[in-house]
Amino acid sequence: MSNPTTNPLRVGLRQERVIAPQCLIIFGASGDLTQRKLVPALFELYKQRRLPSEFALLGCARRPWSDEEFRNRMANALKKEIANHSLEWAQFSSGLFYESIDLQRSEDLLKLGTRLEEIDRIRATHGNRTFYFSVSPKFYGSGCRALASAGLLNDPKRSRIVIEKPFGRDYGSAQALNQLVQSCGKESQIYRIDHYLGKETVQNILVLRFANAIFEPIWNRNYISSIQITAAETVGVEDRAGYYESAGALRDMVQNHLTQMLAITAMEPPGHFDPEAIRNEKAKVLQVARLADEAEPWNCCVRGQYGKGGSLKDPILAYKDEPGVDANSTTETYVALKLFIDNWRWQGVPFYMRTGKRLAKRLSEVVLTFREAPVHLFDSAGGSPTANQLILRIQPNEGAEFHFEVKSPGSGMRSRPVEMDFSYDESFGEPSDEGYVRLLADAMLGDPTLFTRGDEVEAAWRLYTPILELLENNPWQLPIHKYESRTWGPAESDALLAKDRLLWRRP
Ligand code: BG6
């Protein structure tokens, strides 16, 4: 991450809003997310001078750490980053505190209240509090209830709750959790986080669509023949088997990250750029999305699980052999799906989504394929002319490219596909911030635009209900197909597109 003070471009291009004095409270502060993502993101905000001087972070977990121990642990986790910013770290870390808290114990709630008041006094944080739940999802509901019962959510202008995914396990549990959480505070206090929405390139889909007049007229069924949304990873399950075994790729990636990319790609233009206008449109499009075959989901859904792969020198374990994974596990590490959106804009246009671990490349992208030219006047170097494609590169090499045909040089009239390319790095000279930098700042600013509203989460779960029910009742009807690690997933996933005479893009 670059230092804004040494990068004039960054200072010049950014328009930042001001975060009010604030105490961020992280529950689950001894966990991985805090040291891997949250504290680095806060330190980045500090370095960008976007945190107010009246800022404090209170880490809470059950372990009996002192403030000092918490600071040392965070310093250790950010060692590399701090090496060049030791003075800034010293200043930033003086605002880090720790309290051993179990939200289920009433005496701990009292202790929390007292500590927050003390922090208000010494750091002048004015009672503005953002509570971040980075705990096991089974504690989201009871945690919110505990905060509400202690009166810590009473002021909707000064207290907010940030909830990590997964929000529920299915439609019913998401509905129940929404009811519980909404009974503890107003919907405007609840920030359901999906870190894909923090990605600059996902937000750029909105700008590309709604700041340019040329795309909107062709962004529909009349011009677009199909859309592919991919989130491919090269990593395996890492050390998260405990969680992943009960989640699988459908709950871990599809219901949230891929569905959010789908919603932003397919939504109608909002009337204003305001949080509710945008979230209304996203919710509306998800409410009319459906699996291509809800009655027989096996016709539109492929599940896979990675087998071993790699080379003799660098072997890769099969999912079933990973530490903590059941040797007979039927958890999917790959999903491919076909969906439709039943509205005027998208009727009949297939949306294909795929995600998987241990695939050939790390790559997230949205590919819009346009209809072919109605008459082929020219021979193409590639056989027949390729349909135009707009590719939104979410990561890596963030940017966008447009594929179209031009005349091949020479005396004949043959066409040939070329690309027009935009890259964030080349145009702006800096990598984008991590999603958490943007989302933590937005939560503390009280801007919910990039957070998922209760009805959106429910609509996203409803979309996959036919698959989840089938897996519950007749899992054999959606078998797991093995794929070799470092490939593009099971052959059955290619067959899903081949039925429609299409291919997955393999950049
Ligand atoms: C998380 C999933 O939400 O997203 C992980 O739980 C996954 O399994 C990660 O690896 C992918 O995020 P990114 O930003 O690396 O694409």
Side-chain angles (χ1 to χ4, degrees), residues 104-180:
Q104 304 315 311
R105 294 160 54 124
S106 51
E107 61 271 32
D108 281 15
L109 277 174
L110 286 176
K111 197 163 71 169
L112 176 65
T114 312
R115 191 77 203 264
L116 287 173
E117 280 166 22
E118 180 195 312
I119 289 176
D120 273 345
R121 270 197 311 278
I122 57 176
R123 301 289 297 183
T125 42
H126 295 276
N128 292 324
R129 290 160 191 166
T130 302
F131 297 97
Y132 197 115
F133 282 100
S134 171
V135 293
S136 160
K138 60 177 184 260
F139 296 123
Y140 292 162
S142 56
C144 289
R145 210 162 21 202
L147 292 180
S149 70
L152 291 169
L153 301 177
N154 284 353
D155 186 345
K157 292 234 158 61
R158 292 211 192 152
S159 51
R160 306 180 190 102
I161 319 162
V162 182
I163 302 181
E164 267 292 334
K165 64 151 252 255
F167 195 92
R169 278 189 59 72
D170 51 25
Y171 180 57
S173 56
Q175 255 188 331
L177 185 57
N178 264 334
Q179 275 164 16
L180 206 168

Side-chain angles (χ1 to χ4, degrees), residues 36-37 164-166 194-196 199 231-233 235-238 240 243-244 247-249 251-253 256-257 355-357 362-364 394-395 434-436:
R36 229 165 27 93
K37 300 281 185 192
E164 267 292 334
K165 64 151 252 255
D194 183 314
H195 81 276
Y196 262 61
K199 292 184 193 283
E233 298 187 90
V235 292
V237 67
E238 300 179 287
R240 299 162 70 223
Y243 149 75
Y244 199 84
R251 289 186 168 96
D252 184 48
M253 294 289 290
N256 36 69
H257 308 325
T355 184
K357 293 198 182 284
R362 174 172 182 258
L363 161 94
S364 295
I394 307 300
Q395 65 189 26
E434 256 275 337
Y436 278 101

Side-chain angles (χ1 to χ4, degrees), residues 274-292:
D274 83 37
E276 293 324 311
I278 290 178
R279 300 197 301 174
N280 285 344
E281 296 306 337
K282 277 167 61 201
K284 261 163 60 186
V285 80
L286 292 179
Q287 278 152 11
V288 290
R290 65 169 169 89
L291 297 174

